[in-house]
Amino acid sequence: MRIDVVSIFPEYLAPLELSLIGKARQDGLLELKVHDLRTFTTDKHRTVDDTPYGGGAGMVMKPEPWAQALESVAGAGAAEGASAASGDSASEGSRKPVLIVPSPAGERFNQALAYELAEEEQLVFACGRYEGIDERVIEWAEEHFTVRPVSLGDYVLNGGEVAVLAMVEAIGRLLPGVVGNPESLIEESHSDGLLEYPVFTKPSSWRERDVPAVLLSGNHGKIAQWRRHEQFRRTADRRPDLLAEFDAGSLSRADRNV
Ligand SMILES: COC(=O)COc1cccc(COC(=O)c2cn[nH]c2)c1
């Protein structure tokens, strides 16, 4: 996968050189490039914003630098895609890259969307700042991209960079070979529509608190049953909205008895 990020604060994305994502980049599992939006300005002051039509507080990001930046990275992704060894070049050439715009006015990011986006050949992230990007950029971008405004949650950040860090980590860890043991992706929160069960490690007794005896029993059936029950209990307690969405049809016979 190829990821491009466009921002006026490229240094904000430095954490993507660390840890799991950093190693995936070094191992060639993920190509990630960060671009400074000001590179695509033409005036002496490298201006990226201006006052809003219609008045109001704050500034709006000018359209032209964004169009120049997005045209540049869309081409780069296609070029890389054409030279990529893997996959069918015909399908790679035909798929438009996905442009993700972190925004409080976007569709909600969740694990299902992370899995969906992990299947793409190229993701481009546009980090808005100030009051946002001129809306005409979003409309224009539809020519070159599949455009998806995406929200991390119902709150407002000062810019898209923090949201990009979270989404790139959530998506990147799903790519083949990135996490050491792929099995660890199976039983984590939201992978099956429920919250994950509680976990414990040594010592078995700690400050007068004992690990649930079933986990020390060696009875794998009972352990699986206890864990599943804990998933339902926790989800009902903390995220009843998820239970409402949970596809009861996916319940196995064992689930029905928890
Ligand atoms: C067309 O879209 C835009 O112009 C986006 O512009 C902005 C402006 C300010 C801040 C942000 C960052 O996103 C969030 O605040 C956000 C994302 N998730 N939850 C909150 C983005």
Side-chain angles (χ1 to χ4, degrees):
M1 172 184 283
R2 156 86 181 234
I3 295 179
D4 291 277
V5 185
V6 182
S7 165
I8 59 171
F9 294 124
E11 62 277 16
Y12 226 111
L13 286 305
L16 296 177
E17 292 163 18
L18 306 173
S19 185
L20 212 66
I21 299 302
K23 187 171 183 311
R25 294 169 72 180
Q26 286 163 11
D27 295 350
L29 299 174
L30 168 65
E31 185 179 6
L32 189 146
K33 291 190 177 174
V34 180
H35 310 265
D36 183 344
L37 180 67
R38 293 190 196 278
T39 310
F40 301 93
T41 58
T42 51
D43 65 306
K44 183 172 63 166
H45 299 294
R46 311 184 83 197
T47 310
V48 293
D49 63 321
D50 204 333
T51 53
Y53 278 119
M59 303 289 273
V60 174
M61 300 191 95
K62 294 165 62 68
E64 188 54 25
W66 274 109
Q68 297 287 338
L70 294 177
E71 280 175 335
S72 163
V73 297
E80 295 283 326
S83 62
S86 64
D88 163 11
S89 56
S91 67
E92 282 186 351
S94 58
R95 291 260 304 255
K96 289 196 287 188
V98 178
L99 175 64
I100 299 162
V101 188
S103 167
E107 67 181 293
R108 194 64 180 273
F109 186 72
N110 58 24
Q111 195 67 8
L113 184 51
Y115 272 107
E116 182 186 334
L117 294 173
E119 296 297 319
E120 295 293 339
E121 280 98 33
Q122 182 185 11
L123 302 177
V124 178
F125 289 90
C127 297
R129 281 265 154 182
Y130 312 109
E131 299 310 308
I133 303 168
D134 185 303
E135 189 63 18
R136 291 169 292 180
V137 174
I138 308 307
E139 294 159 13
W140 163 84
E142 290 288 359
E143 293 168 33
H144 304 267
F145 302 89
T146 301
V147 183
R148 298 187 77 160
V150 175
S151 166
L152 278 197
D154 296 335
Y155 44 80
V156 181
L157 301 165
N158 286 329
E161 290 80 6
V162 165
V164 171
L165 289 173
M167 287 191 267
V168 168
E169 180 159 318
I171 296 162
R173 65 194 294 277
L174 301 178
L175 299 176
V178 174
V179 295
N181 177 3
E183 282 196 19
S184 62
L185 296 178
I186 295 169
E187 290 194 333
E188 58 188 11
S189 277
H190 305 291
S191 60
D192 57 2
L194 298 171
L195 299 186
E196 62 191 358
Y197 49 78
V199 290
F200 304 84
T201 187
K202 302 181 188 65
S204 63
S205 187
W206 173 75
R207 295 193 182 191
E208 283 90 54
R209 295 174 187 277
D210 296 344
V211 169
V214 66
L215 299 181
L216 310 179
S217 70
N219 182 329
H220 298 296
K222 285 282 185 200
I223 291 169
Q225 189 178 45
W226 180 87
R227 284 174 164 172
R228 194 66 172 165
H229 179 270
E230 282 299 298
Q231 279 189 278
F232 280 106
R233 186 185 60 74
R234 265 184 163 192
T235 306
D237 179 38
R238 298 177 186 176
R239 290 293 305 278
D241 58 301
L242 289 180
L243 266 195
E245 288 169 32
F246 183 71
D247 171 14
S250 69
L251 284 173
S252 69
R253 182 186 306 277
D255 281 341
R256 297 181 201 285
N257 302 324
V258 294

